[in-house]
C-alpha cells in the first residue's frame, strides 16, 4: 500500500536547523510532484514548498524563501526539507504530500513534529 513516512522532526532552538525526510513507497514516486505542508497548533494546513518530478523546478512559500531547501532523490524514493534559521512560528507538524501544489493531495503522510523553542 501507499506509504509516506516523515522523519527528522525535533525540538530545536531558534536559529537552529533541521533536515526532514520523507520516505515513499507503494506508488511511482519519481513521476509525482511532491510537497511539504505544515500545520501549526490551532491553524489550518499550510503549503510550504514543492518540487517537480525531475527536481528542475522548486517553489516556496514566502516564509520559507531563503531559509528552507527542498530536494529529492528518486533513486531512494525520498524527499527532503532542509530548514535553516528556524523561528518559533515554524513550529508545527510537517507532512509530505504527493499531488498538485497547494492540494488537493493524493497521498499524505502522518507527519513529523517540529518544535522551535528556547
Amino acid at each position: 500500500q501507499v506509504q509516506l513516512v516523515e522523519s527528522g522532526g525535533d525540538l530545536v532552538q531558534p536559529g537552529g536547523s533541521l533536515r526532514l525526510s520523507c520516505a515513499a513507497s507503494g506508488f511511482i514516486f519519481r513521476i509525482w510532484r511532491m510537497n511539504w505542508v505544515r500545520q501549526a497548533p490551532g491553524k489550518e494546513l499550510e503549503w510550504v514548498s514543492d518540487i517537480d518530478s525531475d527536481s528542475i523546478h522548486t517553489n516556496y512559500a514566502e516564509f520559507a524563501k531563503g531559509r528552507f531547501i527542498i530536494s529529492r532523490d528518486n533513486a531512494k524514493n525520498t524527499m527532503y526539507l532542509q530548514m535553516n534559521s528556524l523561528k518559533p512560528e515554524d513550529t508545527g507538524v510537517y507532512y509530505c504530500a504527493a499531488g498538485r501544489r497547494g492540494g488537493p493531495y493524493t497521498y499524505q503522510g502522518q507527519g513529523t513534529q517540529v518544535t522551535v523553542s528556547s
Side-chain angles (χ1 to χ4, degrees), residues 3 47 109:
Q3 279 194 312
W47 174 77

Side-chain angles (χ1 to χ4, degrees), residues 25-107:
S25 61
F27 68 106
I28 305 174
F29 176 79
R30 67 180 184 274
I31 67 172
W32 282 83
R33 175 178 296 275
M34 294 298 297
N35 301 263
W36 284 101
V37 296
R38 71 183 187 184
Q39 189 164 26
K43 295 188 177 181
E44 295 187 350
L45 202 63
E46 178 180 42
W47 174 77
V48 177
S49 180
D50 72 89
I51 185 168
D52 65 5
S53 58
D54 294 327
S55 302
I56 294 174
H57 296 107
T58 59
N59 300 282
Y60 298 90
E62 282 299 319
F63 63 80
K65 289 180 180 178
R67 299 191 299 129
F68 295 1
I69 301 172
I70 191 172
S71 61
R72 67 192 293 167
D73 185 340
N74 287 343
K76 295 181 179 179
N77 284 355
T78 303
M79 179 176 67
Y80 306 96
L81 185 68
Q82 177 67 42
M83 304 190 294
N84 302 316
S85 302
L86 283 163
K87 305 174 182 180
E89 51 263 44
D90 294 318
T91 294
V93 180
Y94 283 70
Y95 303 88
C96 60
R100 60 186 298 177
R101 183 187 315 155
Y105 305 113
T106 302
Y107 308 122

